């Protein structure tokens, strides 16, 4: 704008008297590059203004498209009014509704229904946020639930054992996550009811069945889903923010906390809040492919509004990482999914889901072909792994007698049948361990080689991307 104004002013007059703004005026006479002259001044806003203009045009077309939809009787949500996307197409919405309804009573043939469902899920994925919101508004709950039943049924039929039914879990999760991230806030409850798999269960946890966590002594009643009042981040990512609370997944939380200590930016880049209030977390599958898992914003909470799941110090990013893991961790089988399915396991098993890389036992080099002994307790081996940039975790034996027979200076931080992460080492070579229950009330403990041999076991590590 300043350049255009300058071009239309008489010679000697400036488009602005402000020297800072005057510096933004582009070249009035473009110099060919072979003369060595710049095409525009370094401070030119031409690129930014062009992007802004294009965005404004898209938003205007979006408004015009929504107005046309409303005239034709389509329900339009206020949340769709100012989206920066291409204008909605009523024909795409009607096509998706028609194809969804046609699933009822359809005979899919001997090859199963996977090809039909893949086509339909691709159709849903291709809808803009405004189109998807109208689609979910107009779709009947019965049609949506029937689609959910079909995509989850991957069993072969009795007659044709080579057919393919349903959608594989990664495809199913990707499609539902993409849809959930775009649907309007007013339709999230309807979507969640039709697709209950987007919410992990907590009724199979000790915290629900026994009323708390017997190890750290936390108790509760009235567990229910509730949206938290705190933001994703308050002051960035810190390992000191993490508190495991009441679910028995110390092995995962120890790995998460160790990763937050080693690379807080990696954690922060792996989570985002969507415009509709849902949250997406980056998770890897067993093949090393990353996916964005979208979930509703509510979290397990007791009747007094206190967090039950892993939480932060006034921030929620640890809770959503844990919720995404509860949705995707599949080592226990489909009958043990959710928060109960992530209770009590091996810390290195969480590494592939957090980083896409396998975790390993720390072994001491024997000097013969690089082989070593598993479950090595040499603190020098732990320090070598830690100093190389790896996240290092250790466990404690399943021996309750150790809860009373341990150094008094460790206080309540030490507990049997538990996982810890390495925070560092002293100048004397002792290891400093952090408890995933959080630093408040459970300060880090310093452990000598002698005490480590008696009270700890199973050192493991994984690479930070």
């Amino acid at each position: 704008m300043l350049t255009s104004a300058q071009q239309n002013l008489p010679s000697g007059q400036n488009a602005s008297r402000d020297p800072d703004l005057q510096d933004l005026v582009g070249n009035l006479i473009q110099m060919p590059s072979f003369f060595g002259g710049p095409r525009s001044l370094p401070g030119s806003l031409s690129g930014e203004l062009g992007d802004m203009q294009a965005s404004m045009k898209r938003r205007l077309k979006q408004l015009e498209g929504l107005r046309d939809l409303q005239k034709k009787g389509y329900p339009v949500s206020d949340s769709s009014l100012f989206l920066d996307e291409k204008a909605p197409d009523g024909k795409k919405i009607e096509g998706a509704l028609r194809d969804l309804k046609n699933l009822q009573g359809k005979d899919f043939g001997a090859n199963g229904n996977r090809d039909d469902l893949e086509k339909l899920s691709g159709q849903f994925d291709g809808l803009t946020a405004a189109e998807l919101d109208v689609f979910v508004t107009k779709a009947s709950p019965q049609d949506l639930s029937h689609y959910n039943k079909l995509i989850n049924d991957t069993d072969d039929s009795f007659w044709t054992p080579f057919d393919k039914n349903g959608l594989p879990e990664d495809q199913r999760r990707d499609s539902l996550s993409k849809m959930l991230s775009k649907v309007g806030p007013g339709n999230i409850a309807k979507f969640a009811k039709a697709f209950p798999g987007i919410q992990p269960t907590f009724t199979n946890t000790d915290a629900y069945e026994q009323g708390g966590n017997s190890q750290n002594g936390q108790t509760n009643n009235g567990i229910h889903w509730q949206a938290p009042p705190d933001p994703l981040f308050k002051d960035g990512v810190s390992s000191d923010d993490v508190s495991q609370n009441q679910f028995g997944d110390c092995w995962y939380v120890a790995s998460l906390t160790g990763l937050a200590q080693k690379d807080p930016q990696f954690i922060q880049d792996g989570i985002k809040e969507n415009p509709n209030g849902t949250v997406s977390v980056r998770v890897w599958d067993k093949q090393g492919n990353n996916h964005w898992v979208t979930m509703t914003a509510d979290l397990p909470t007791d009747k007094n509004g206190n967090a039950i799941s892993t939480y932060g110090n006034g921030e929620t990013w640890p809770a959503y990482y844990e919720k995404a893991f509860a949705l995707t961790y599949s080592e226990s089988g489909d009958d043990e999914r959710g928060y109960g399915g992530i209770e009590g396991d091996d810390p290195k098993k969480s590494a592939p889901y957090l980083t896409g890389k396998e975790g390993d036992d720390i072994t001491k080099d024997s000097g013969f072909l690089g082989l070593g002994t598993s479950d090595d307790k040499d603190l020098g081996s732990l320090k070598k792994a830690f100093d190389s940039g790896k996240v290092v975790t250790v466990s404690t034996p399943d021996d309750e007698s150790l809860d009373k027979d341990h150094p008094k200076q460790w206080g309540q931080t030490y507990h049997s049948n538990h996982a810890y992460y390495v925070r560092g080492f002293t100048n004397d070579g002792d290891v400093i361990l952090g408890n995933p229950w959080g630093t408040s009330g459970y300060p880090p403990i310093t452990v000598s080689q002698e005490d480590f041999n008696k009270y700890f076991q199973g050192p493991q590590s994984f690479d930070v991307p």
Side-chain angles (χ1 to χ4, degrees), residues 413-462:
T413 299
Y414 182 86
H415 205 285
S416 61
N417 195 25
H418 194 42
Y420 296 77
Y421 66 99
V422 172
R423 292 175 62 99
F425 290 82
T426 68
N427 293 333
D428 296 329
D430 295 341
V431 64
I432 304 171
L433 299 178
N435 190 326
W437 292 344
T439 55
S440 178
Y442 307 98
I445 58 176
T446 301
V447 183
S448 67
Q449 179 68 73
E450 181 180 0
D451 286 336
F452 192 86
N453 293 340
K454 182 177 180 180
Y455 297 101
F456 293 90
Q457 63 184 15
Q460 298 172 346
S461 67
F462 62 87

Side-chain angles (χ1 to χ4, degrees), residues 216-443:
N216 59 26
Q218 294 188 28
T219 60
N220 72 82
N221 54 52
I223 301 182
H224 64 284
W225 292 102
Q226 181 178 317
D230 299 315
L232 276 184
F233 303 104
K234 184 175 67 175
D235 51 5
V237 171
S238 169
S239 59
D240 290 341
D241 292 336
V242 183
S243 178
Q244 178 191 332
N245 284 339
Q246 296 190 33
F247 294 144
D249 58 344
C250 58
W251 61 284
Y252 169 74
V253 183
S255 298
L256 175 67
T257 310
L259 182 57
Q261 174 187 244
K262 285 289 188 179
D263 194 342
Q265 190 61 49
F266 180 80
I267 291 289
Q268 192 156 348
D269 291 343
I271 186 171
K272 58 186 177 182
E273 188 172 14
N274 302 306
N276 63 357
T278 59
V279 178
S280 298
V281 172
R282 180 181 54 193
V283 179
W284 275 260
D285 60 25
K286 293 181 180 180
Q287 288 70 44
N289 304 309
N290 69 72
H291 307 263
W292 284 94
V293 176
T294 302
M295 65 209 82
T296 54
D298 47 0
L299 296 169
T301 309
D302 71 11
K303 71 173 187 178
N304 298 316
N306 300 313
I308 297 297
S309 61
T310 297
Y311 212 76
N313 183 20
E315 46 198 336
T316 57
W317 65 264
Y320 292 118
Y321 262 92
E322 182 186 46
K323 187 176 181 180
F325 188 60
L327 279 167
T328 56
Y329 185 64
S330 59
E331 306 294 329
S332 301
D334 289 338
D335 57 336
E336 283 293 336
R337 303 299 287 270
Y339 286 102
I342 63 174
E343 290 193 308
D345 216 322
D346 194 346
K348 69 179 180 182
K349 289 185 180 179
S350 61
Y353 293 85
L354 282 167
T355 67
K357 303 187 179 196
E358 294 290 335
D360 296 301
D361 296 319
I362 293 180
T363 57
K364 185 177 181 181
D365 187 359
S366 66
F368 179 69
L369 298 179
L371 300 177
T373 57
S374 62
D375 198 23
D376 180 73
K377 294 187 177 183
D378 177 51
L379 293 186
S381 300
L382 272 69
K383 188 174 188 304
K384 183 178 179 181
F386 183 84
D387 289 345
S388 70
K390 295 177 182 288
V391 174
V392 179
T393 60
V394 300
S395 303
T396 55
D398 186 8
D399 182 356
E400 294 184 359
S401 67
L402 298 177
D403 295 331
K404 298 179 180 179
D405 176 27
H406 63 70
K408 292 183 179 180
Q409 64 267 27
W410 293 353
Q412 299 298 314
T413 299
Y414 182 86
H415 205 285
S416 61
N417 195 25
H418 194 42
Y420 296 77
Y421 66 99
V422 172
R423 292 175 62 99
F425 290 82
T426 68
N427 293 333
D428 296 329
D430 295 341
V431 64
I432 304 171
L433 299 178
N435 190 326
W437 292 344
T439 55
S440 178
Y442 307 98

Side-chain angles (χ1 to χ4, degrees), residues 3-111:
T3 301
S4 298
Q6 188 69 66
Q7 289 173 331
N8 287 282
L9 286 170
S11 178
Q13 294 187 25
N14 295 327
S16 172
R17 292 191 177 92
D18 188 320
D20 292 332
L21 291 179
Q22 185 58 36
D23 289 341
L24 297 176
V25 177
N27 286 338
L28 301 182
I29 301 177
Q30 293 290 332
M31 297 294 293
S33 59
F34 56 79
F35 283 130
R39 293 184 179 275
S40 60
L41 290 177
S44 174
L45 288 174
S46 58
E48 289 82 353
L49 290 174
D51 292 341
M52 184 182 295
Q53 181 187 43
S55 177
M56 291 172 67
K57 287 182 177 179
R58 286 193 299 271
R59 293 172 190 270
L60 284 172
K61 290 182 178 180
Q62 165 80 356
L63 285 169
E64 292 170 356
L66 290 172
R67 181 185 59 189
D68 293 340
L69 284 182
Q70 199 166 42
K71 287 181 178 179
K72 295 176 181 178
Y74 289 90
V76 174
S77 168
D78 291 344
S79 63
S80 301
L81 293 181
F82 298 102
L83 295 174
D84 188 359
E85 58 184 16
K86 61 183 180 181
D89 183 348
K91 292 182 179 179
K92 290 174 62 178
I93 300 171
E94 285 298 331
L97 288 168
R98 181 182 61 252
D99 293 342
L100 176 68
K101 183 171 287 294
N102 287 342
L103 288 176
Q104 294 283 359
K106 182 175 180 180
D107 182 5
F108 294 100
N111 67 333

